[in-house]
């Protein structure tokens, strides 16, 4: 998908703006550290064009994608903006936001895309019920440049720790 969006050079850059390519996943018990499962996507080499997962921090993806989006004219990209109202019209959507300067602002567009998670303001204001579920536990994703593979503890570049029952 990143290639189709024109972000291949940025995503696969060898410098700090690029991603980490992870062909192997480890799943470990959070309490014992025991290795529970290994997924080696390298086994798909020749079957899929990219036999790995691209681990690319959201802030890097946004920095890379923003010039493409703004250059296309298809959307405005805003930061530090809070949506406070939404009205659906037959051919448009009106949203009210508090902008970066703290001022209320009305915006009209053809679409509103809510990519704001399980507690979505966009979904709530649109009156769309959440049909899924959220986990009772909270999860955190941590990215680091520390090379865990070099510790001698058998870690790879993508490790999941969970509590097995």
């Amino acid at each position: 998908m990143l290639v189709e969006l024109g972000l291949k050079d940025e995503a696969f850059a060898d410098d700090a703006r690029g991603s980490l390519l992870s062909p192997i996943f480890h799943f470990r018990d959070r309490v014992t550290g025991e290795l529970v499962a290994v997924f080696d996507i390298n086994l798909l080499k020749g079957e899929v064009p990219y036999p790995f997962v691209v681990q690319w921090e959201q802030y890097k993806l946004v920095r890379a994608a923003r010039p493409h989006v703004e250059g296309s004219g298809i959307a405005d990209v805003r930061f530090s903006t809070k949506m406070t109202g939404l009205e659906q019209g037959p051919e448009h959507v009106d949203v009210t936001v508090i902008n970066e300067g703290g001022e209320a602002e009305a915006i009209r567009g053809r679409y509103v895309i809510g990519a704001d998670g399980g507690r979505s303001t966009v979904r709530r204001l649109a009156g769309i019920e959440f049909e899924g579920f959220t986990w009772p536990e909270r999860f955190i994703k941590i990215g680091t440049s520390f090379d865990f593979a070099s510790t001698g503890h058998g870690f790879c570049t993508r490790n999941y720790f969970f509590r097995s029952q």
Side-chain angles (χ1 to χ4, degrees), residues 1 19 22 31 37 41 45 47 58 60 78-79 82-83 85 90 93 106 111-112 118-119 131 148 151 163:
M1 180 176 70
S19 62
S22 298
V31 175
I41 303 175
K45 202 172 275 187
E47 301 291 324
Q58 184 176 355
K60 291 180 182 180
R78 295 176 181 238
F79 297 96
K82 179 180 180 179
M83 191 168 120
V93 179
Y111 304 98
V112 172
R119 292 169 181 80
E131 296 181 12
F148 282 96
T151 65
R163 191 178 86 214

Side-chain angles (χ1 to χ4, degrees), residues 99-162:
N99 64 26
E100 194 169 15
E103 304 156 328
E105 184 179 351
I107 303 170
R108 176 170 282 184
R110 291 181 60 195
Y111 304 98
V112 172
I113 299 171
D116 50 347
R119 292 169 181 80
S120 172
T121 299
V122 174
R123 187 186 65 253
R124 182 178 49 78
L125 291 172
I128 301 169
E129 188 174 329
F130 181 57
E131 296 181 12
F133 69 94
T134 58
W135 295 100
E137 291 183 283
R138 298 284 186 199
F139 295 87
I140 187 168
K141 181 260 182 203
I142 299 173
T144 178
S145 59
F146 181 79
D147 184 6
F148 282 96
S150 69
T151 65
H153 295 289
F155 294 116
C156 65
T157 56
R158 191 171 182 100
N159 301 278
Y160 292 93
F161 294 85
F162 66 99

Side-chain angles (χ1 to χ4, degrees), residues 7-83:
L7 298 171
K8 181 179 181 179
D9 291 343
E10 294 94 333
F12 297 158
D14 289 331
D15 58 25
R17 65 194 165 105
S19 62
L20 175 65
L21 308 181
S22 298
I24 298 174
F25 293 22
H26 283 178
F27 287 81
R28 295 179 176 273
D29 183 279
R30 183 175 65 194
V31 175
T32 67
E34 174 188 358
L35 183 61
V36 176
V38 175
F39 292 92
D40 185 351
I41 303 175
N42 278 315
L43 297 172
L44 297 174
K45 202 172 275 187
E47 301 291 324
V48 297
Y50 306 102
F52 46 79
V53 169
V54 175
Q55 295 184 182
W56 202 17
E57 293 94 329
Q58 184 176 355
Y59 77 94
K60 291 180 182 180
L61 173 58
V62 169
R63 280 185 190 160
R66 186 177 182 183
H68 294 271
V69 172
E70 290 175 338
S72 72
I74 63 170
D76 290 329
V77 178
R78 295 176 181 238
F79 297 96
S80 302
T81 302
K82 179 180 180 179
M83 191 168 120

